[in-house]
Structure formats: structure tokens, C-alpha cells
């Protein structure tokens, strides 16, 4: 059902950005390469990112454990799982179980009482390091765009940081449903801690090729840009359509941290061209939630008309 007329590139390797090289004698060359990756791909791995590897493993272990204890059976007892078959409408459902954690400016982690105090402590430490990584990337992007180093940080301030924790359960009939339907992300910089054994994530590069983001055990973090980055960069760094394919073998973990503009941040391109601008991000987000799985360009056009 989900076969595309476009060729799925099984051997194309997603670029890897070594952040250590951006602060070395190779910095000029590394910044140029980083710019090309941001411009030509919009998604990439980062290594030497400064996030503690042991902390990353603790986050994954807790998510797996919580899923097995509290979410797995509930999912398979759900109407979606019980009714999976030819009658399932894949355009209306996602084969996933998720929860969303809010961090700065206001945390809701303490509300997840079934996770326990240890998880809250782990997440607090993890998110502190992830925010630092996001801020580093924001500074590098600003510099490569020819803007002040703190341009993105200043525009996002105060940023909204949240984490979507998802498990994509093994699916007995993966040809009937997507774990997550194709979409582009609404916000700023997305940092993904993903499963290191179970595949599924794919990005639609250049509107032509589905590129799989294959699992790896190199302790890397995956990065992609949301639509606000595309607007702010005046279309130079684009938000890429992506999806998660259901898998017959294995439950897939995804911990995606969103470094987004604050709800009242005013978004506009660096210079006036084709994109909408001068809107409050919370207004854009309200519209996005109703159109998440629709065409991104149509969404930009509608928002531009709404906020003339």
C-alpha cells in the first residue's frame, strides 16, 4: 500500500557533522560543509555533541521499561490494534503510542507520576544538555546565514522546549499502516535520540527520494529542521517531509526534543520574499495541528493570507 513511485535509496548515507571540527583549525572548512549539509539535506547526524552517552542510555532504558510496563498491552488492546485490517484507513491513524513532556519555560514532567522520581531527574539532566546542543546549533546556523551569532536564540527567546516520547510497536501487517504519517515539523530545531537497532524513519530528499535514517550504535544524535527554520532562513534551510514506516520485527524507540520559538515569538524571514511573516508562533501552531499531514507549501500560503 505504501510503495512509492519514487526510488527508495537504500545506500545513500545521511551526512554526519562532527561538532568538534567546528571548533578547531578546520573550522572554516567544517562550517562550509555544515552549510552545504543544512542547505542540501536539512537533516543530518551530529557526533561529539556534548550530550553524555550514559545519560542517553538511561533515557532509552527508562522509555523501554515504561513502555513494557504501562503502554504495550494498552496499545495492543486499542481499537486500532484490534481492528487492524484492509478496512484500516492509513491516512487517519498512526501506529504509535506517545506522550509529550514540556520543559522550559514551564515543565510538566512532575505530572508523569508513573515514571518515578529517577526518570524526572534523568530527564532534567538530559534536557539541560540537549538545550545546550540546540543553542550551539542555533549559533552555527546563524553564522552560516550571515546573521549575528545570537540571531536565532534571540528570535526564539524564550524558547519552548518539549519532548515527544514515542514507541512504535511491532506491527503484524506493516503494509496496512504507517507508524507515523508523512509530515514536516512545525518548529525550530529537532534533536532525535532514536532506536539503535529497529529502522523505520525516512526523509523525502529533494522531493524525489525516500532516504532511510538507519539505526546506528555510534551514540550520535539526529537533527532536522522545522518550518520556522525554513521561514527564518528565507527558504535556504528547508523543513523536509518525513515518515516512520511500521515494522514487523521489533518495537522502535523515538525521543524527539523540539527547540522551538516561544509561543509569542514573532517569526519573519531575514528579508521579505515568499514566506508568511509577522505572526505569533502559537497562532501558526494552532493552524498546523489541523493541517499537519497536508502539503507544507499550501500551509505557508494559507498562513500568509491569514496574517496579511
Amino acid at each position: 500500500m505504501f510503495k512509492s513511485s519514487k526510488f527508495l535509496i537504500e545506500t545513500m548515507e545521511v551526512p554526519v557533522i562532527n561538532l568538534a571540527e567546528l571548533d578547531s583549525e578546520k573550522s572554516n572548512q567544517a562550517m562550509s560543509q555544515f552549510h552545504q549539509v543544512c542547505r542540501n539535506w536539512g537533516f543530518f547526524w551530529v557526533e561529539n555533541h556534548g550530550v553524555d552517552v550514559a545519560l542517553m542510555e538511561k533515557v532509552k532504558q527508562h522509555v523501554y521499561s515504561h513502555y513494557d510496563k504501562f503502554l504495550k498491552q494498552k496499545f495492543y488492546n486499542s481499537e486500532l490494534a484490534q481492528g487492524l485490517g484492509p478496512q484500516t484507513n492509513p491516512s487517519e491513524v498512526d501506529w504509535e503510542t506517545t506522550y509529550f513532556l514540556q520543559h522550559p519555560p514551564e515543565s510538566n514532567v512532575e505530572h508523569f507520576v508513573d515514571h518515578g522520581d529517577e526518570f524526572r531527574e534523568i530527564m532534567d539532566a538530559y534536557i539541560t544538555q540537549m538545550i545546550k546542543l540546540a543553542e550551539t546549533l542555533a549559533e552555527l546556523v546563524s553564522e552560516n546565514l550571515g546573521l549575528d551569532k545570537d540571531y536565532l536564540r534571540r528570535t526564539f527567546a524564550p524558547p519552548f522546549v518539549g519532548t515527544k516520547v514515542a514507541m512504535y510497536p511491532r506491527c503484524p501487517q506493516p503494509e496496512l499502516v504507517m507508524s507515523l504519517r508523512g509530515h514536516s515539523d512545525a518548529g525550530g530545531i529537532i534533536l532525535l535520540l532514536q532506536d539503535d537497532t529497529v529502522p523505520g524513519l525516512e526523509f523525502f530528499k529533494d522531493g524525489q527520494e525516500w532516504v532511510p535514517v538507519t539505526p546506528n550504535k555510534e551514540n550520535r544524535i539526529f537533527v532536522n529542521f522545522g518550518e520556522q527554520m525554513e521561514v527564518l532562513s528565507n527558504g535556504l534551510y528547508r523543513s523536509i517531509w518525513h515518515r516512520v514506516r511500521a515494522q514487523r520485527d521489533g518495537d522502535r524507540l523515538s525521543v524527539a526534543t523540539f527547540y522551538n520559538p516561544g509561543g509569542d515569538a514573532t517569526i519573519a524571514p531575514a528579508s521579505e520574499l515568499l514566506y508568511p511573516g509577522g505572526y505569533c508562533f502559537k497562532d501558526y501552531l494552532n493552524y498546523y495541528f489541523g493541517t499537519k499531514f497536508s502539503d507544507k507549501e499550501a500551509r505557508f500560503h494559507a498562513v500568509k493570507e491569514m496574517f496579511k
Side-chain angles (χ1 to χ4, degrees), residues 192-256:
L192 176 65
L193 177 63
Q194 77 154 8
D195 201 288
D196 57 9
T197 58
V198 181
L201 179 61
E202 298 174 351
F203 276 70
F204 199 43
K205 188 178 186 300
D206 300 328
Q208 298 180 354
E209 305 159 340
W210 283 109
V211 178
V213 182
T214 54
N216 77 86
K217 298 179 181 294
E218 304 298 323
N219 301 311
R220 296 168 178 160
I221 290 174
F222 183 77
V223 181
N224 70 281
F225 294 144
E227 292 169 5
Q228 306 316 300
M229 289 288 288
E230 182 167 337
V231 173
L232 286 164
S233 70
N234 207 33
L236 193 61
Y237 295 170
R238 299 179 65 82
S239 174
I240 308 300
W241 195 258
H242 54 284
R243 67 187 182 185
V244 180
R245 296 180 68 95
Q247 302 295 312
R248 191 182 302 276
D249 300 316
D251 304 312
R252 182 178 181 278
L253 170 146
S254 169
V255 182

Side-chain angles (χ1 to χ4, degrees), residues 85-127:
Q87 73 285 350
T88 301
N89 187 343
S91 68
E92 296 182 353
V93 297
D94 299 306
W95 188 265
E96 65 174 359
T97 176
T98 72
Y99 48 96
F100 193 84
L101 306 173
Q102 294 177 201
H103 311 299
E106 185 175 349
S107 174
N108 70 345
V109 179
E110 69 275 7
H111 298 158
F112 291 81
V113 294
D114 56 352
H115 283 273
D117 293 338
E118 182 182 6
F119 175 71
R120 291 190 284 274
E121 293 173 1
I122 290 170
M123 284 305 299
D124 283 347
Y126 174 73
I127 291 303

Side-chain angles (χ1 to χ4, degrees), residues 48 83 87 123 132 136 158 164 177 197-198 200 245 264:
N48 291 318
Q87 73 285 350
M123 284 305 299
K132 184 176 180 180
T136 296
K164 177 186 176 183
V177 67
T197 58
V198 181
R245 296 180 68 95
D264 292 321

